[in-house]
Amino acid sequence: MSGKLPSDFLWGYATASYQIEGSPTADGRLPSIWDTFSHTPGKIKDGSNGDVACDSWHRWGEDVALLKFSGAKVYRFSFSWSRIIPEGGRDDLINADAIEHYRYFIEALVKNGIKPIATLYHWDLPQTLHDRYGGWLNKEEIVQDYVNYARTCFRYFGDLVKDWITHNEPWCVSVLGYGTGVFAPGHKSDTEHWIVAHNLLVAHAYAVKAYREEFKPSQGGQIGITLDCSWQMPYDNSPENVAAAQRGIAFKLGRFADPIYKGYYPAIVKEMIGDRLPDFTEEEIAVVKDSSDFFGLNTYTTQLVQDGGDNEIQGNVKYTFTRPDGTQLGKQAHVPWLQSYPPGFRSLLNYLWETYKKPIYVTENGFAAKGENVLPVDQVVKDTDRVEYFQGYTDALLRAVTEDGVPVKGYFAWSLLDNFEWADGYDTRFGVTYVDFKTQRRTTKESYQFLRNWFPEHVET
Ligand code: PNW
């Protein structure tokens, strides 16, 4: 064991269209559900929206320069559906201006030796499709429109992009968008999010089928999905809490990963949700099973799990960061849902490899340090907590690969830039680069330097 990551290990950064691009009406773009949602009073913590964000629709050259100087091998970004097909549907017009623009940008990445990895859907559904037929709630329509959009991207970008991610975090799309309503389109329901999750899986699977049958033979790439999961540790050794941790993972991850990698829903989810969990038709499940070439994982934290509570969405379990002895699991981030706990990351990687037997890409991992919303830039760039987070998580990654033999193929830090952090607006900053949203000036933080040094030292040449 050399103690290093293999020479073909890919590392870099991740972003998403609505969080960085701005320019909501440029070159024929029409609104997505996130434009509508963020412009609805009361939905975003600081009353902001993505109208400007990092202005990356214009400043992509600066983004590429930041990536290049960081030494990144890969960049994960997402396409804005309502730029490429402004009204979104299979009979609607394809927007040549947006395609040309994205191609310039991708060509710049490739010329600079940065491998592009494209996410098709990072939450910005064309508003027209939501209004026309209910968006993700309408399986017959959305599956066909999503597959048409996916095909359009494969056709126009597949000579340059060889790595595709269909969906980013279907758990967030369904549960936060249609269950708790804190994300667009803001529906609160205990039935809708099960339907949406099911439709996301089916749409994903038919897009993968189209890629494999119509594009992969000539383009030769790979395609998969990104799921999000924290490691879930039993609060203590009691049998109820051990079972609760397993149930928590089934409700967060298994409900998506099991159909894709095993071909069926977890029994415990079926049992608890009953008829509200839509069944797959025989044809659907045949397409869903084995529909991801890899395991795309977004992960930020570890949670301690206790049995009980009546929060059905999470499988009637309770989460805490406080251990039985009263101590905290790790360092608290700016956001309540995140504490740093590197050993949990290592355990999660081992669990995923044992359970699903697929090579893993960590498509997001990162930390929002406290106070970056109010501190002056010269203090924000000394982001010690984020540096410590990345020290711990890269070390856990290295051990999982070199000591445990988990085939992790890539690692993407979230995020290259401070950006529009969804319902938190600009109050929460995940970037390794500070963005002054008044001037759009970018200043790299110490964590950018940390990763710039760490990977060359720990990847074989
Ligand atoms: C992910 N949670 O979202 C997304 O993929 C990114 O777009 C986002 O900026 C990043 O993580 C940081 O939040 C999440 O509440 C949103 O547990 C919310 C949660 C987790 C991930």
Side-chain angles (χ1 to χ4, degrees), residues 16 19 76 122-123 168-169 171-172 176 183 228 252 298 300 337 364 414 419-422 430:
Q19 295 183 272
R76 172 177 175 242
H122 202 125
W123 309 356
N168 180 70
E169 303 188 347
W171 183 90
C172 283
L176 304 182
F183 278 6
D228 61 307
K252 177 80 198 198
N298 288 356
Y300 289 84
W337 54 269
E364 283 179 27
W414 183 271
N419 58 46
F420 178 72
E421 178 52 27
W422 307 114
F430 270 92

Side-chain angles (χ1 to χ4, degrees), residues 115-116 154-155 157-164 208 210-224 293-294 361:
K115 191 177 166 70
F154 304 147
R155 182 171 302 129
F157 307 117
D159 58 328
L160 299 167
V161 176
K162 303 295 174 189
D163 299 84
W164 296 93
V208 170
Y211 183 72
R212 287 177 176 166
E213 289 176 359
E214 300 160 35
F215 299 91
K216 190 177 169 138
S218 60
Q219 297 181 350
Q222 59 171 347
I223 186 162
D293 294 331
F294 49 82
Y361 289 83

